Amino acid sequence: MRENRIVNFSTKIGLIKQKPIQALFGFLFTLMPMLIIIPLGIVFSSLDSDIPEANYDEVNQNGTLVVGTVDDIEVQYNTQINGQHPAILSYSFEFDGQTKFSKVKTLEPTKVEQLNVGDSVDIKTLNNQSIIVGFRPYSFPIGFIFFFPIPFLIIGLPFLISLLFGVSKEVKLYKEGQLIDGEILAMTPNSGLPITNIGQSVNVHYQYNDSKGKRQIGKSKTTDFSILSDKKKGETIKVLVLPTNEAKSCLYPELAAIKNQWND
């Protein structure tokens, strides 16, 4: 049994380039949104990294009530949620003979306006968590960022899946295909994408007989334009046929065979 041919990475990239529309929409609408949300997610997740988390409802219901002091009030004027600016309140309090320091980010602008540094506030503490009574914590809902790419993925994934499936079938033929002779039926050039001409290729229609003598019709794409001058309708051409399904075939890629050092 013959060993599978080697298909290097550049050959696979070449096959992808033969399908420019699928590659453009597939990669643009799937990879680009992901490249955007990853840094955004890192940025937003780090915004409140120095503010301790606290379960407001649990601490408010079961926590110990103490009196604390407002140490600092920082209104974030560069951030606006529903027309309101969040504020970070730094506070301290005594508990179990120790002075505790903490912060809370809240979206209670009316209440914040009534506060001053040094004011006394009611604090509740429970299991190393604490809250300022009446000031419910607010955190930026970064989860919505991960919904951002969904519309783009709906568009891009079908193109990407189709592209990768088609390329994988071609690679399988390159690796496992049995080399036989076929006959050219027709050749038609493809112009590729406008301006860049990416995706220029030639569609080759051919026929061949499988191992049972049955006539099979195939169509394959090549970027080797020399075929238009070297070959004509009715002439013999090399074809790779999948042994497990002889209805599947492609042209024998002469340039890829040289680059990958095939010994057919």
Side-chain angles (χ1 to χ4, degrees), residues 180-184 206-209 234-239:
I180 65 171
D181 288 334
E183 179 186 340
I184 296 175
Y206 54 88
Q207 63 180 2
Y208 60 93
N209 292 325
E235 290 189 351
T236 299
I237 193 167
K238 292 181 179 180
V239 176

Side-chain angles (χ1 to χ4, degrees), residues 180-183 207-217 241 246:
I180 65 171
D181 288 334
E183 179 186 340
Q207 63 180 2
Y208 60 93
N209 292 325
D210 61 23
S211 59
K212 297 180 180 179
K214 183 179 178 180
R215 180 171 174 263
Q216 301 283 357
I217 302 294
V241 177
E246 294 183 274

Side-chain angles (χ1 to χ4, degrees), residues 133-264:
V133 178
F135 290 84
R136 184 174 288 274
Y138 172 83
S139 60
F140 189 84
I142 65 172
F144 89 93
I145 295 175
F146 298 99
F147 290 98
F148 164 75
I150 291 178
F152 297 94
L153 293 176
I154 291 174
I155 297 173
L157 278 177
F159 286 98
L160 186 61
I161 292 171
S162 175
L163 170 68
L164 297 179
F165 182 69
V167 169
S168 66
K169 289 196 301 182
E170 200 90 350
V171 170
K172 185 177 179 66
L173 279 163
Y174 283 8
K175 289 181 177 181
E176 304 175 11
Q178 180 182 355
L179 183 61
I180 65 171
D181 288 334
E183 179 186 340
I184 296 175
L185 298 176
M187 294 185 290
T188 55
N190 298 312
S191 58
L193 292 177
I195 302 177
T196 62
N197 290 325
I198 295 175
Q200 278 187 320
S201 60
V202 179
N203 282 332
V204 181
H205 300 261
Y206 54 88
Q207 63 180 2
Y208 60 93
N209 292 325
D210 61 23
S211 59
K212 297 180 180 179
K214 183 179 178 180
R215 180 171 174 263
Q216 301 283 357
I217 302 294
K219 174 187 173 183
S220 190
K221 187 179 289 186
T222 179
T223 54
D224 184 3
F225 282 83
S226 65
I227 193 173
L228 294 173
S229 56
D230 295 345
K231 296 288 185 178
K232 296 180 181 179
K233 177 181 178 180
E235 290 189 351
T236 299
I237 193 167
K238 292 181 179 180
V239 176
L240 290 173
V241 177
L242 196 64
T244 55
N245 186 349
E246 294 183 274
K248 294 183 178 181
S249 65
C250 71
L251 293 180
Y252 183 80
E254 301 285 353
L255 294 178
I258 295 172
K259 292 178 179 179
N260 291 277
Q261 300 180 343
W262 295 349
N263 297 315
D264 292 290

Side-chain angles (χ1 to χ4, degrees), residues 119-132:
D119 284 355
S120 296
V121 286
D122 288 336
I123 305 293
K124 282 195 174 182
T125 180
L126 178 70
N127 299 328
N128 292 321
Q129 296 183 33
S130 64
I131 63 168
I132 302 178

Side-chain angles (χ1 to χ4, degrees), residues 46-64:
S46 65
L47 289 178
D48 300 330
S49 58
D50 62 336
I51 299 177
E53 293 186 5
N55 186 326
Y56 182 88
D57 293 326
E58 181 182 0
V59 176
N60 191 42
Q61 182 176 357
N62 302 314
T64 301

Side-chain angles (χ1 to χ4, degrees), residues 16-65:
I16 290 175
K17 289 180 178 179
Q18 290 181 15
K19 306 174 186 292
I21 300 296
Q22 291 175 313
L24 177 64
F25 282 91
F27 288 112
L28 182 65
F29 283 92
T30 54
L31 296 184
M32 287 301 293
M34 302 306 294
L35 293 176
I36 292 173
I37 68 168
I38 290 174
L40 282 179
I42 294 174
V43 169
F44 284 118
S45 63
S46 65
L47 289 178
D48 300 330
S49 58
D50 62 336
I51 299 177
E53 293 186 5
N55 186 326
Y56 182 88
D57 293 326
E58 181 182 0
V59 176
N60 191 42
Q61 182 176 357
N62 302 314
T64 301
L65 180 65

